[in-house]
Amino acid sequence: YWGHRNLFGRAEKLRVEGSISGIGSNEIGELNYNAGVMFEKPGVVGPASKFYTNIKTIYEHPDAYDRFSTKGAVGLSYELTTRQTVSAEFGLDYSKITDSYGKNDYLIASVPLQYVYDNRDNRLNPTRGFRVLAFAEPSYDILNGATFVKLKGEGSAYQSLDSAGRFVLAGRASIGSILGVSAPQDVPADRRFYAGGGGSVRGYAYQGIGPKDADGQPTGGLSFFETSAEMRIALTDTIGIVPFVDAGMVSNEHFPDFSDLKVGAGIGLRYLTPFGPLRIDAAVPLNPDPDDPDFGIYAGIGQAF
């Protein structure tokens, strides 16, 4: 990437980036490509506001679908207080997607709206406080005539059990629903809900929880629910361990029915650095389907949530 953090002398940001992932695949056509240009300007509607616009092109191949997409967006975020932020955006996204339901073209106009309340003491490694997010995205498919609304809510809470912050109990829960359509195939595959993997239910494959087609590939759903609990234990100033339990499900119904809740459990290792913990988690599925893996290993920067 190339970036400029003071483009016109008033803290404007310009970033041009590109990436290729999936290197090592047997076929060049299975690589993932991502390119984009992003611009931000603070103080457009008062000092607490930020205007942003971007255009991005993506070509990706997760298990559930193959997607080529070009999207442009323009939006505004505003800090109501030091803990509360709201944002609104208008986006136009053209995509070509191949999934279990066939090959389809979409042209989606959407207006994502978001509210966040965050009073955590540290965003990468919190020991107390909580964060709540509410998200709504009304969308209209110009090519196919479908109108739908994607809703999502999530919350996480953190409580230190000692004054030094060496024992921290952390929990999170999230729920979502897509309304306005009668079946998952009426919604583009990249906008459906999925669960499973390192940032979701550990012990299961990425996108591995929920409805699948006849070949065992995930199809996504119209609703989901996830929850996690962790005990973060600092053994030294730099090393910690984290026992955890995750649970989640995806449904083709408009609201989660909890009929096939998947649970995973495991333990993680944390190496604490000035820019946040380095994370390695190992987990096993407690009630797997026949095609689920025996275990999963995940790595990242920052805590899992």
Side-chain angles (χ1 to χ4, degrees), residues 4-228:
H4 198 304
R5 293 185 174 89
N6 194 27
L7 188 63
F8 302 123
R10 295 183 178 272
E12 299 90 349
K13 297 180 182 179
L14 178 66
R15 180 182 174 102
V16 182
E17 66 180 19
S19 67
I20 300 175
S21 61
I23 295 174
S25 173
N26 293 328
E27 297 183 17
I28 294 179
E30 295 180 356
L31 298 177
N32 298 318
Y33 304 90
N34 190 321
V37 179
M38 289 141 280
F39 174 76
E40 294 181 1
K41 180 175 176 59
V44 174
V45 186
S49 67
K50 180 175 68 176
F51 167 84
Y52 60 90
T53 184
N54 57 69
I55 183 169
K56 297 180 180 180
T57 296
I58 297 172
Y59 185 48
E60 62 176 355
H61 312 277
D63 289 344
Y65 54 83
D66 295 325
R67 175 172 74 117
F68 171 81
S69 169
T70 297
K71 179 180 179 180
V74 57
L76 184 72
S77 66
Y78 193 89
E79 291 186 0
L80 300 175
T81 67
T82 57
R83 297 176 177 177
Q84 299 182 79
T85 303
V86 294
S87 64
E89 177 183 304
F90 173 77
L92 191 63
D93 182 3
Y94 171 74
S95 59
K96 300 173 70 70
I97 296 177
T98 301
D99 65 355
S100 299
Y101 300 110
K103 297 180 179 180
N104 294 282
D105 291 3
Y106 303 92
L107 182 59
I108 306 290
S110 62
V111 183
L113 307 169
Q114 183 169 281
Y115 168 82
V116 176
Y117 183 93
D118 189 348
N119 71 351
R120 296 173 296 173
D121 59 344
N122 185 308
R123 294 191 175 187
L124 286 177
N125 190 26
T127 61
R128 61 181 60 88
F130 64 92
R131 179 180 184 270
V132 177
L133 177 147
F135 174 84
E137 185 179 12
S139 302
Y140 176 64
D141 184 352
I142 298 171
L143 295 183
N144 301 292
T147 301
F148 56 93
V149 179
K150 186 173 185 177
L151 303 173
K152 182 179 179 181
E154 64 179 45
S156 57
Y158 312 86
Q159 180 59 55
S160 176
L161 303 182
D162 66 316
S163 59
R166 290 187 172 274
F167 297 87
V168 178
L169 182 63
R172 74 172 180 98
S174 57
I175 191 170
S177 176
I178 299 175
L179 305 177
V181 295
S182 58
Q185 56 264 39
D186 297 327
V187 179
D190 62 307
R191 294 172 183 260
R192 300 175 203 142
F193 290 115
Y194 301 87
S200 177
V201 183
R202 288 161 285 189
Y204 296 83
Y206 174 65
Q207 297 183 337
I209 293 176
K212 296 181 173 65
D213 62 17
D215 297 324
Q217 297 301 313
T219 61
L222 296 180
S223 63
F224 89 106
F225 171 79
E226 291 178 353
T227 187
S228 299

